[in-house]
Amino acid sequence: MSDPQLDTQEDIIDSKTGECCRVGYKSLRTGTPSFTVKYLPTVIGGDGLTWDLGCYYLTYLSIHQLADPLSIQKYAVHLSEFYDFCKNEGIDPLLDTPSKRNRPIFRFRDRLLGSVRDGEITDKTASNKIGNIVRFYSWLVEEHNHNFEHRPFNNDTLFISYLKRSGSVGHKLVQSHDARIKVHPKSELPSQNLILD
């Protein structure tokens, strides 16, 4: 299906999973003559229809220049994947339920974790996808004033320790959320000249 209001549309196919996301572009002119967005990505579901809230979010990012065009395109692809997941599962992306495991973001997280286990995507890719969905929900609550009785996810503050290049241990507080997907660092092969205890 095609949308006559869009300048162009293209299908992006994930080479590993074979899943198809349709991304559409539309020139957007804001009220101020000094700012023009050319080829604004839109969120189009597998049924060919746009997801208004997802498109508003991408427009917001573009107008307020909170992300570069390549990042916005990645957000569009990830939001399209999330939207298609919700449609295929028959759930409303804004479902407000006290059951954490039934919230759309956690159901999508479970699907991503399954894809990681099956070797279809890496844990880093899954983490990026869920992170972009978390940013969307954060925008809904903070900027779009959407009221959830049960927040889609909870924010966490973590105290982490890490090894500096100098060999000393550093500590810092980081903001996170309970929908995060842990990324396991790749183990580096030791050099022949080093002994690791």
Side-chain angles (χ1 to χ4, degrees), residues 18-90:
E19 290 184 35
C20 180
C21 295
R22 182 170 294 159
V23 178
Y25 298 93
K26 180 178 183 177
S27 296
L28 172 70
R29 186 100 172 138
T30 64
T32 58
S34 61
F35 182 71
T36 300
V37 177
K38 187 173 182 182
Y39 300 124
L40 176 68
T42 57
V43 180
I44 302 173
D47 55 5
L49 302 175
T50 58
W51 183 28
D52 293 343
L53 273 177
C55 295
Y56 293 151
Y57 174 60
L58 298 175
T59 303
Y60 172 83
L61 292 175
S62 298
I63 290 174
H64 295 283
Q65 299 177 350
L66 298 177
D68 61 275
L70 288 176
S71 295
I72 291 174
Q73 184 171 350
K74 287 180 188 175
Y75 294 160
V77 170
H78 295 165
L79 285 172
S80 292
E81 186 177 337
F82 174 69
Y83 182 62
D84 281 342
F85 167 78
C86 290
K87 288 293 181 190
N88 292 338
E89 294 292 315

Side-chain angles (χ1 to χ4, degrees), residues 86-192:
C86 290
K87 288 293 181 190
N88 292 338
E89 294 292 315
I91 57 175
D92 179 359
L94 301 180
L95 178 67
D96 190 359
T97 176
S99 171
K100 183 175 174 179
R101 69 183 290 185
N102 287 329
R103 293 178 194 157
I105 193 168
F106 285 97
R107 290 181 63 179
F108 184 62
R109 178 183 182 271
D110 288 343
R111 181 181 160 273
L112 291 173
L113 288 172
S115 295
V116 170
R117 274 190 304 275
D118 295 342
E120 296 170 356
I121 60 174
T122 66
D123 53 359
K124 185 174 182 180
T125 299
S127 179
N128 288 337
K129 288 181 180 189
I130 202 70
N132 288 335
I133 304 307
V134 164
R135 285 183 199 88
F136 165 72
Y137 277 110
S138 295
W139 168 79
L140 273 177
V141 172
E142 296 164 10
E143 299 295 330
H144 199 58
N145 298 320
H146 188 85
N147 186 24
F148 287 98
E149 185 177 338
H150 309 282
R151 284 187 58 96
F153 62 91
N154 294 314
N155 291 318
D156 292 334
T157 302
L158 303 173
F159 185 73
I160 62 168
S161 302
Y162 58 95
L163 189 61
K164 297 180 183 178
R165 287 196 180 271
S166 63
S168 62
V169 176
H171 307 283
K172 65 180 176 179
L173 283 174
V174 294
Q175 294 297 318
S176 187
H177 50 84
D178 60 351
R180 73 184 174 282
I181 294 176
K182 293 181 182 178
V183 176
H184 303 292
K186 293 183 179 179
S187 60
E188 296 181 13
L189 294 175
S191 168
Q192 293 178 353

